[in-house]
């Protein structure tokens, strides 16, 4: 009994007989490996435009039905909004009044300028005459033909009109600057009023909801007689020139490992199609974030909006690694150990291992196994703390 017990424990402790038909034995191999994760994605139109009513209003008329194929600019429905229409009319009246006042101010300014030009012309005339008399009297005074009193009068008149002429020229110059500034202010005032009028006219025009792009009208939510609040989403237009796939449930564990430009693929109708990440939504909700992917090359024929597909999203470049197939063993071992099949194929015993990255089919083996080894990869749920499995046919 002692000899038997010694032999038992040196063989590694507790054993369990298992049926080979009830387990999965896999080969360890060295092959190309790329880390990836499976993700469910929803097929969406490549471009979707949402139709909102900025000012709200009452639905007065519908021109098309939900599902219609539309061209850009084609009317969809018409709203009425008396506040918007009244504001536009009031603004048009304001612009008319502003323009009339500008014209009146310019006429007045032109009249003032004409008056200043006339005054300068009068001063110029008096100045020329005063200068002529002064220069003549200056010669006569030098020749002692006239007295100093008469010469002094001529000189005073000349200096007076010379100063007045200079002042009148400065007044005219300041008037010119003032006119330029006034014209600039008037133009700016009119421009602002006209811009406001254009905005109000656009608001009135926006009461007719039109297709912003070529596409299919979907989710139309507006019946004649209904009142819609400002910002209400009336419908959407889905472009018909392609699709994209949105992954809505990516674990935030990968937020720092997912970037634009990364690739993925999925199978559809026995063909493989490639995609590329074009947008990563960094907002995290309930531990999940979203990713948009566009097709690379051809799109699947027959794929439809709203369809769910499983994307294999690549997280690393392709390289060579030692691989163990995925299986139920991981749930009980956490990847820390595995049952390795003996060389004679009659038993399987526990060995410590270290796993690295994974993809949809394999785990990367960092240590504990080598190519050519055989391991049990099916579930270990019923094995408890067994150290060895005896494989029975």
């Amino acid at each position: 009994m002692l000899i038997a017990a010694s032999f038992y424990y040196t063989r590694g402790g507790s054993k369990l007989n298992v049926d080979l038909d009830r387990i999965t034995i896999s080969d360890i191999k060295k092959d190309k490996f790329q880390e990836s994760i499976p993700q469910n994605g929803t097929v969406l139109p490549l471009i979707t435009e949402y139709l909102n009513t900025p000012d709200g209003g009452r639905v007065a008329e519908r021109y098309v039905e939900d599902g219609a194929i539309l061209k850009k600019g084609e009317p969809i429905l018409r709203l009425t909004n008396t506040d918007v229409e009244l504001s536009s009319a009031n603004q048009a009246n304001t612009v008319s009044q502003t323009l009339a006042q500008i014209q009146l101010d310019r006429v007045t300014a032109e009249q003032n300028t004409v008056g200043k030009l006339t005054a300068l012309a009068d001063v110029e005339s008096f100045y020329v005459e005063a200068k002529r008399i002064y220069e003549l009297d200056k010669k006569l005074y030098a020749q002692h033909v006239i007295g100093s009193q008469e010469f002094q009068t001529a000189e005073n008149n000349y200096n007076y009109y010379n100063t007045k002429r200079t002042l009148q020229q400065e007044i005219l110059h300041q008037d010119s600057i003032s006119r330029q500034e006034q014209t600039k202010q008037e133009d700016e005032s009119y421009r602002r009023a006209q811009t406001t009028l254009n905005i109000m006219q656009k608001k009135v025009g926006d009461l007719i909801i039109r297709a912003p792009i070529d596409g299919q009208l979907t989710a139309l939510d507006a019946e004649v007689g209904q009142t819609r609040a400002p910002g209400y989403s009336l419908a959407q237009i889905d472009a018909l020139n392609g699709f994209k796939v949105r992954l809505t449930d990516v674990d935030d564990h990968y937020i720092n490992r997912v970037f634009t430009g990364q690739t993925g693929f999925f199978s559809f109708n026995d063909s493989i199609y490639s995609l590329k990440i074009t947008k990563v939504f960094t907002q995290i909700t309930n531990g999940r974030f979203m990713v948009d992917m566009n097709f690379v090359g051809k799109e699947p024929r027959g794929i439809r909006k709203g369809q769910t597909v499983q994307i294999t999203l690549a997280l690393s470049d392709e390289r060579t690694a030692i691989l163990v197939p995925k299986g139920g063993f991981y749930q009980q071992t956490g990847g820390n150990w595995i049952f390795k099949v003996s060389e004679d194929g009659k038993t399987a015993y526990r060995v410590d291992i270290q796993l690295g990255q994974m993809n949809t089919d394999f785990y990367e083996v960092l240590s504990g196994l080598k190519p050519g080894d055989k391991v049990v990869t099916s579930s270990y749920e019923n094995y408890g703390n067994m150290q060895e499995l005896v494989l029975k046919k």
Side-chain angles (χ1 to χ4, degrees):
M1 290 178 63
L2 288 173
I3 293 173
S6 176
F7 179 76
Y8 180 86
Y9 286 109
T10 57
R11 289 284 291 173
S14 56
K15 300 180 180 180
L16 179 68
N17 293 330
V18 295
D19 190 343
L20 277 172
D21 293 335
R22 294 181 176 274
I23 63 173
T24 301
I25 295 178
S26 303
D27 294 325
I28 303 300
K29 63 180 181 179
K30 190 173 186 178
D31 203 349
K32 292 181 179 180
F33 173 79
Q34 186 177 43
E35 183 187 10
S36 62
I37 54 174
Q39 292 291 318
N40 287 331
T42 303
V43 178
L44 299 174
L46 190 60
I47 300 174
T48 296
E49 292 277 351
Y50 295 91
L51 305 179
N52 300 318
T53 167
D55 298 293
R58 179 180 175 275
V59 181
E61 189 174 1
R62 265 178 57 161
Y63 303 112
V64 295
E65 296 299 323
D66 197 21
I69 305 299
L70 303 174
K71 293 291 185 180
K72 181 179 179 180
E74 192 171 344
I76 298 171
L77 54 87
R78 180 174 62 86
L79 303 175
T80 57
N81 187 317
T82 54
D83 290 339
V84 171
E85 294 165 352
L86 182 60
S87 295
S88 178
N90 290 337
Q91 188 60 39
N93 185 50
T94 299
V95 170
S96 298
Q97 292 177 351
T98 300
L99 182 59
Q101 186 62 45
I102 288 174
Q103 292 173 339
L104 180 61
D105 292 342
R106 286 182 177 177
V107 169
T108 302
E110 289 173 358
Q111 290 175 345
N112 290 335
T113 300
V114 170
K116 291 179 176 64
L117 287 171
T118 301
L120 178 60
D122 292 340
V123 170
E124 285 281 0
S125 176
F126 287 120
Y127 165 77
V128 170
E129 180 62 18
K131 182 180 180 181
R132 185 187 67 80
I133 294 174
Y134 165 70
E135 290 176 349
L136 177 61
D137 286 358
K138 185 176 181 181
K139 294 178 181 179
L140 295 175
Y141 178 69
Q143 297 173 0
H144 303 291
V145 175
I146 60 174
S148 60
Q149 184 68 28
E150 187 176 353
F151 171 68
Q152 190 64 48
T153 300
E155 185 179 24
N156 289 342
N157 284 337
Y158 168 71
N159 291 334
Y160 169 74
Y161 285 112
N162 186 33
T163 301
K164 191 171 183 180
R165 171 175 170 268
T166 302
L167 290 174
Q168 198 65 39
Q169 288 174 338
E170 181 62 23
I171 290 172
L172 190 61
H173 175 67
Q174 293 298 326
D175 178 72
S176 177
I177 295 175
S178 177
R179 280 290 309 279
Q180 292 177 356
E181 186 64 27
Q182 180 182 354
T183 300
K184 182 179 178 180
Q185 292 176 353
E186 289 171 347
D187 291 343
E188 180 65 20
S189 176
Y190 179 73
R191 186 190 65 78
R192 287 197 301 267
Q194 187 63 50
T195 299
T196 304
L197 176 60
N198 292 339
I199 293 173
M200 295 308 303
Q201 289 174 338
K202 185 178 183 302
K203 284 179 175 288
V204 173
D206 288 344
L207 292 175
I208 297 179
I209 308 299
R210 301 177 182 274
I213 58 173
D214 294 350
Q216 184 176 24
L217 178 68
T218 60
L220 179 60
D221 183 17
E223 299 293 337
V224 175
Q226 290 180 328
T227 299
R228 294 300 183 223
Y232 189 85
S233 180
L234 297 170
Q236 64 187 55
I237 299 288
D238 296 332
L240 301 177
N241 60 345
F243 294 97
K244 63 183 177 182
V245 175
R246 175 165 294 175
L247 312 182
T248 59
D249 201 31
V250 185
D251 194 294
D252 63 359
H253 170 76
Y254 299 104
I255 187 68
N256 293 323
R257 302 193 60 198
V258 176
F259 305 96
T260 57
Q262 286 178 314
T263 59
F265 64 90
F266 76 102
S267 176
F268 184 80
N269 288 342
D270 299 325
S271 297
I272 302 298
Y273 297 91
S274 299
L275 305 101
K276 180 173 65 176
I277 293 178
T278 55
K279 184 175 182 180
V280 177
F281 297 83
T282 55
Q283 181 179 357
I284 297 175
T285 304
N286 297 326
R288 299 289 187 267
F289 66 97
M290 296 191 302
V291 169
D292 275 354
M293 304 187 75
N294 287 4
F295 286 97
V296 178
K298 63 178 181 179
E299 294 183 355
R301 294 186 62 182
I303 202 166
R304 293 289 181 266
K305 171 188 172 183
Q307 194 167 346
T308 299
V309 294
Q310 187 175 71
I311 306 295
T312 299
L313 181 61
L315 298 180
S316 70
D317 295 329
E318 192 174 70
R319 65 181 186 278
T320 300
I322 299 174
L323 306 176
V324 56
K326 278 189 166 183
F329 76 95
Y330 191 88
Q331 278 66 41
Q332 280 73 44
T333 70
N336 296 312
W337 59 273
I338 200 169
F339 279 114
K340 178 181 175 182
V341 179
S342 62
E343 291 185 3
D344 60 13
K346 294 181 179 181
T347 61
Y349 54 94
R350 286 178 59 149
V351 295
D352 292 333
I353 61 173
Q354 182 181 0
L355 302 181
Q357 297 175 346
M358 65 178 179
N359 59 25
T360 55
D361 300 313
F362 297 98
Y363 293 108
E364 178 187 19
V365 179
L366 301 179
S367 64
L369 297 170
K370 64 182 184 300
D373 289 342
K374 294 182 181 294
V375 293
V376 179
T377 54
S378 51
S379 175
Y380 295 178
E381 184 177 1
N382 298 320
Y383 297 168
N385 294 321
M386 296 296 167
Q387 299 296 309
E388 188 174 350
L389 304 179
V390 178
L391 308 180
K392 300 291 184 180
K393 292 186 180 179

